[in-house]
């Protein structure tokens, strides 16, 4: 079976202890390659390699660094089909999703920060008659980037691209559940002769390789995307070491539908915001609040559409939903459906595992699930499920909707559907979320701040926010 390798100082390396574990294909439930079980010894090598590379990479002109980043983007484009198939196979997502969203977006991330860095500038503050302050934005040094499995290369590149563009050298760990596209990225680096040691990729479990990246005294900033519990554990290690921290964590996002919305557009977008990527997008609207006047109409139309959604193997061009990412994750999602029933929920659609014919008969498939009749404070409505499961809850007034929407510990994103302009802005102002979509969902401009409030995270990614995170400000005052 193929063995994925770490990529350290421009060389493919086996983990020092030579221990591997299986990478399971969600579509079939079968192992198809092996992943290094790296630990602190491998991370030590990677950090040293990044440290060695830092003076020349950070000393390079922004234009030259930009050129290298563009070459990385072009290298992915040149292997587009390979990346697309690998992402779909590793994650279980429909291949058309990987082709239209994941891999093109990874390319855009590299291009965006490659061009961003040549337009980035620092500030100066004039003190009339006294002098002037100018602020330098210097790269931090060696930084750690740790990413999750739901949008593997997309979220991995969202971190490593600004980190490198700003002049840092990186030790990065993709999710052990979906490591493959990060591995192909290493092949691209080798092909284009990307400067050695600038990006070091170490594979393995979070508690071994991830933890070692966070603990290493030389990783001066940690950019993490993943679950809130993991974020807490990382913060408890990194904060006393005074590392810079960017934490993009879980969500339990409200989708608030007023009865004056554009019904058809809302309905088709709500299908996507509920079930895209099998509901495994941190921005999915898993709690659907519908104004009472259209509750029954919405319920009937939505449930009809959901029942027709095609759950199939990822390479099926007709698949609306593919496999969820792993057996433990499938079991977690199914256990939440059982919990919802115990809490008094009524399953209107789905609610069960889906069994496909061989060779997909051991794959991890769940029917898109709609549940109503739950209290907004119950566990099903408060805890992140991160799968193809949504709940429906009616509301009467704006206050009613806001109280329920803001009731969870999370605050990542919110979607609001209404044609009333004033209400839309009022709601956007008061909903507790870092990202709000009015009459839309997942429209992304890479220049905008991305991140959540409350237990959904600390800090913002995207645009200048990311470049600010990956640089240290140094203010210099010059007296007249
Ligand atoms: P996870 O927290 O289990 O793992 C994320 C990454 O952290 C993986 O690479 C993992 O190996 C690593 N890790 C785990 N334990 C670690 C430790 N102790 N120290 C260092 N690294 C460690 O999350 P997941 O299951 O891969 O992803 C799903 C979660 O990610 C969901 O909660 C989802 O909402 C969240 N997510 C958030 C965003 C966002 O932008 N806010 C985006 C996507 C996913």
């Amino acid at each position: 079976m193929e063995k994925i390798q770490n990529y350290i100082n421009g060389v493919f390396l086996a983990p020092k202890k030579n221990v591997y574990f299986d990478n399971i294909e969600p579509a079939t439930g079968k192992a198809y390659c092996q992943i290094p079980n790296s630990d602190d010894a491998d991370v030590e090598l990677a950090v040293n390699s990044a440290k060695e590379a830092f003076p020349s990479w950070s000393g390079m002109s922004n234009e030259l660094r930009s050129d290298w980043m563009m070459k990385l983007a072009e290298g992915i484009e040149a292997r587009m089909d390979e990346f697309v198939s690998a992402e779909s196979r590793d994650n279980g997502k429909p291949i058309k999703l990987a082709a239209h969203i994941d891999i093109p977006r990874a390319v855009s991330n590299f291009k965006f920060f490659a061009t961003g860095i040549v337009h980035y500038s620092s500030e100066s503050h004039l003190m009339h008659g006294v002098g002037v302050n100018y602020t330098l934005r210097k790269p931090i040094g060696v930084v750690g980037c740790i990413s999750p499995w739901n949008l593997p290369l997309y979220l991995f590149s969202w971190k490593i691209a600004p980190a490198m563009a700003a002049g840092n050298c990186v030790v990065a760990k993709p999710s052990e559940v979906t490591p493959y596209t990060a591995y192909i990225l290493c092949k691209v680096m080798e092909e284009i002769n990307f400067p050695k040691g600038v990006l070091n990729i170490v594979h393995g479990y979070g508690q071994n390789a991830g933890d070692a990246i966070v603990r290493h005294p030389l990783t001066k900033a940690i950019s993490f995307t993943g679950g809130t519990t993991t974020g807490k554990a990382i913060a408890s290690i990194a904060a006393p070491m005074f590392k810079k921290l960017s934490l993009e964590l879980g969500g339990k996002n409200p989708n608030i539908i007023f009865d004056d919305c554009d019904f058809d557009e809302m309905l088709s977008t709500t299908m996507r915001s509920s079930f895209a990527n099998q509901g495994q997008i941190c921005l999915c609207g898993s709690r659907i609040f519908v104004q009472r006047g259209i509750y029954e109409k919405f319920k009937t139309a939505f449930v009809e559409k959901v029942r027709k959604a095609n759950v199939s193997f990822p390479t099926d061009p007709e698949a609306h939903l593919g496999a969820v990412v792993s057996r433990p994750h499938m079991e977690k999602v199914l256990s939440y459906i059982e919990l919802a029933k115990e809490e008094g929920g009524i399953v209107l659609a789905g609610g069960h595992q889906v069994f496909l014919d061989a060779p997909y008969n051991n794959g991890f498939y769940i029917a898109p699930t709609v549940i109503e009749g739950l209290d907004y404070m119950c566990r099903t409505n408060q805890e992140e499920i991160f799968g193809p499961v949504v709940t429906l809850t009616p509301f009467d007034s704006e206050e009613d909707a806001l109280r329920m929407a803001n009731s969870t510990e999370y605050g990542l994103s919110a979607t609001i559907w209404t044609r009333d302009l004033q209400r839309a802005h009022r709601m956007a102002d008061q909903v507790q979320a870092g990202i709000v979509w009015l009459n839309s969902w997942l429209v992304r401009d890479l220049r905008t701040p991305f991140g959540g409030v409350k237990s959904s995270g600390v800090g913002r990614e995207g645009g200048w926010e990311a470049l600010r995170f990956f640089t240290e400000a140094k203010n210099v005052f010059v007296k007249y």
Side-chain angles (χ1 to χ4, degrees):
M1 206 183 304
E2 186 187 17
K3 283 189 165 82
I4 286 178
Q5 304 286 274
N6 292 331
Y7 191 72
I8 298 174
N9 202 25
V11 179
F12 284 102
L13 285 181
K16 282 206 145 190
K17 293 209 174 91
N18 210 26
V19 179
Y20 292 80
F21 56 95
D22 285 344
N23 188 16
I24 309 290
E25 180 179 10
T28 59
K30 293 198 179 108
Y32 75 102
C33 68
Q34 290 208 304
I35 308 167
N37 185 357
S38 309
D39 61 16
D40 44 3
D42 304 290
V43 169
E44 183 68 30
L45 267 186
V47 170
N48 285 332
S49 141
K51 185 181 158 206
E52 291 290 303
F54 181 67
S56 85
W57 181 249
S58 59
M60 203 180 263
S61 70
N62 284 349
E63 288 73 13
L64 200 49
R65 240 186 281 126
S66 169
D67 287 348
W68 277 116
M69 308 274 303
M70 287 303 260
K71 282 185 196 157
L72 267 185
E74 287 155 11
I76 300 174
E77 279 174 320
R79 287 173 173 246
M80 182 57 82
D81 292 347
E82 186 186 352
F83 272 100
V84 165
S85 314
E87 201 70 298
S88 166
R89 184 176 196 191
D90 223 15
N91 175 277
K93 66 181 70 210
I95 195 154
K96 63 183 175 202
L97 197 66
H100 289 114
I101 307 283
D102 290 76
I103 307 304
R105 172 59 193 273
V107 170
S108 303
N109 288 343
F110 281 113
K111 289 187 176 172
F112 177 80
F113 287 106
T115 50
I117 198 62
V118 291
H119 297 278
Y120 193 47
S121 59
S122 52
E123 296 159 336
S124 69
H125 297 90
L126 179 66
M127 297 169 79
H128 287 286
V130 181
V132 67
N133 296 276
Y134 61 89
T135 309
L136 300 171
R137 286 262 162 202
K138 298 174 72 78
I140 299 168
V142 180
V143 300
C145 296
I146 301 175
S147 58
W149 49 256
N150 63 322
L151 301 164
L153 193 65
Y154 173 138
L155 290 175
F156 192 63
S157 54
W158 187 231
K159 296 183 178 308
I160 60 177
M164 292 192 289
N168 301 288
C169 292
V170 180
V171 177
K173 193 192 87 60
S175 169
E176 67 276 22
V177 186
T178 53
Y180 207 91
T181 46
Y183 176 54
I184 313 180
L185 182 67
C186 300
K187 295 186 182 174
V188 170
M189 283 196 278
E190 188 181 51
E191 249 163 45
I192 64 172
N193 212 9
F194 194 73
K196 293 185 191 340
V198 172
L199 173 59
N200 305 276
I201 297 183
V202 180
H203 293 279
Y205 291 118
Q207 65 270 27
N208 301 337
D211 180 76
I213 293 172
V214 175
R215 282 182 197 277
H216 200 291
L218 288 184
T219 53
K220 297 294 183 196
I222 303 292
S223 174
F224 168 79
T225 299
T228 294
T229 310
T230 316
K232 238 179 237 176
I234 288 176
S236 73
I237 296 163
M241 297 173 84
F242 305 114
K243 298 191 181 205
K244 278 187 108 175
L245 260 183
S246 165
L247 301 173
E248 299 293 338
L249 309 176
K252 187 76 179 174
N253 311 307
N255 177 7
I256 305 171
I257 301 169
F258 285 93
D259 55 15
D260 65 345
C261 68
D262 177 331
F263 190 85
D264 293 342
E265 198 183 339
M266 174 278 296
L267 188 64
S268 63
T269 305
T270 295
M271 279 299 290
R272 285 196 303 115
S273 66
S274 301
F275 302 118
N277 205 37
Q278 296 70 250
Q280 303 166 134
I281 301 181
C282 53
L283 307 161
C284 278
S286 55
R287 293 179 298 146
I288 306 179
F289 299 107
V290 189
Q291 203 163 20
R292 210 172 294 276
I294 57 162
Y295 185 82
E296 288 303 323
K297 178 181 172 191
F298 172 77
K299 179 171 126 180
T300 307
F302 185 58
V303 166
E304 190 187 330
K305 261 185 175 294
V306 174
R307 285 190 182 141
K308 283 188 195 146
N310 185 21
V311 179
S312 188
F313 52 93
T315 48
D316 181 349
E318 302 301 318
H320 296 120
L321 286 86
V324 300
V325 79
S326 66
R327 181 169 296 283
H329 189 60
M330 176 176 72
E331 283 164 2
K332 176 191 149 185
V333 175
L334 292 172
S335 79
Y336 268 103
I337 296 172
E338 289 313 306
L339 173 71
K341 289 185 206 159
E342 284 163 24
E343 291 183 319
I346 298 158
V347 176
L348 303 172
H352 53 84
Q353 193 178 343
V354 173
F355 295 93
L356 303 183
D357 293 338
Y360 305 107
N361 48 333
N362 287 315
F364 317 131
Y365 302 92
I366 301 178
T369 299
V370 184
I371 303 170
E372 74 166 354
L374 288 165
D375 187 274
Y376 75 96
M377 288 303 291
C378 73
R379 282 184 56 203
T380 311
N381 269 328
Q382 292 290 316
E383 297 174 15
E384 185 184 45
I385 301 174
F386 213 54
V389 179
V390 295
T391 61
L392 305 188
T393 310
F395 69 88
D396 293 301
S397 62
E398 280 177 36
E399 296 69 35
D400 210 13
L402 274 171
R403 188 185 66 253
M404 295 194 282
N406 290 341
S407 67
T408 73
E409 66 166 307
Y410 298 106
L412 188 53
S413 72
T415 301
I416 297 161
W417 292 93
T418 178
R419 282 182 164 122
D420 179 334
L421 196 58
Q422 287 174 323
R423 172 157 69 194
H425 292 303
R426 231 177 5 248
M427 292 290 291
D429 181 50
Q430 289 180 60
V431 73
Q432 293 168 355
I435 304 153
V436 181
W437 282 289
L438 298 177
N439 301 317
S440 58
W441 179 71
L442 204 53
V443 180
R444 292 279 299 122
D445 180 328
L446 304 190
R447 294 168 300 177
T448 59
F450 181 91
V453 299
K454 304 198 282 185
S455 298
S456 289
V458 177
R460 292 291 178 275
E461 296 188 304
W464 298 151
E465 298 274 352
L467 293 177
R468 281 193 201 109
F469 174 76
F470 283 115
T471 50
E472 284 286 15
K474 179 191 272 186
N475 193 67
V476 181
F477 170 71
V478 191
K479 191 173 180 299
Y480 281 166

